């Protein structure tokens, strides 16, 4: 597999897993606390290099494929979420245009 093919393959892996990463990180008590306590637009890295911080459901794929995602708490979102929810934006560091959002209840940590 040449370099171009590897990049295309990795992008497909990111596309396939980003929804699960957004869901699992949004449900993780560790990550919820970290993100709710953060400043808006403060970036955190979800990385294969920190496997102990990864939710079990997505851990193997992130580690096996050496994936890295950014996640930030944002004020303005192009998608609609109910009033009062805190929005987290997820994106692969290599492909930041492949973003996903999750709406989170700040009363549930």
């Amino acid at each position: 597999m040449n370099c171009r093919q590897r990049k295309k393959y990795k992008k497909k892996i990111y596309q396939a897993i980003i929804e699960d990463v957004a869901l699992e990180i949004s449900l993780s008590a560790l990550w919820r606390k970290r993100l709710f306590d953060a400043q808006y637009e403060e970036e955190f890295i979800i990385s294969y290099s920190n496997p102990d911080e990864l939710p079990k459901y997505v851990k193997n794929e992130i580690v096996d494929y050496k994936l890295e995602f950014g996640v930030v708490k944002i004020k303005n979102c192009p998608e609609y979420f109910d009033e009062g929810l805190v929005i987290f934006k997820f994106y692969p560091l290599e492909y930041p245009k492949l973003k996903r959002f999750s709406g989170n209840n700040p009363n549930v940590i």
Side-chain angles (χ1 to χ4, degrees):
M1 186 180 299
N2 66 36
C3 185
R4 183 181 213 138
Q5 290 170 321
R6 273 193 303 275
K7 283 187 71 91
K8 193 172 184 177
Y9 180 70
K10 196 164 187 182
K11 186 174 183 179
K12 286 184 179 192
I13 292 169
Y14 276 118
Q15 288 172 319
I17 192 176
I18 193 168
E19 295 281 342
D20 290 336
V21 169
L23 175 64
E24 293 298 317
I25 293 294
S26 294
L27 294 173
S28 163
L30 168 80
W31 283 98
R32 286 179 73 79
K33 178 162 180 24
R34 186 177 287 170
L35 288 161
F36 281 126
D37 290 348
Q39 299 296 312
Y40 283 95
E41 302 299 334
E42 181 179 349
E43 181 182 56
F44 293 92
I45 306 300
I46 301 160
S47 175
Y48 68 92
S49 63
N50 294 316
D52 294 339
E53 294 186 345
L54 301 173
K56 186 187 323 184
Y57 185 73
V58 293
K59 182 178 188 172
N60 288 343
E61 287 174 297
I62 291 174
V63 172
D64 291 350
Y65 294 108
K66 295 185 173 11
L67 304 179
E68 293 186 302
F69 294 86
V71 58
V72 295
K73 177 172 70 172
I74 60 172
K75 286 186 180 186
N76 299 310
C77 181
E79 296 179 10
Y80 173 78
F81 287 94
D82 289 339
E83 188 72 30
L85 295 180
V86 176
I87 310 304
F88 302 157
K89 177 175 82 169
F90 297 85
Y91 49 93
L93 294 182
E94 291 180 70
Y95 305 99
K97 290 183 179 179
L98 297 178
K99 55 189 167 269
R100 294 294 181 272
F101 303 93
S102 70
N104 301 272
N105 183 340
N107 298 318
V108 179
I109 300 276

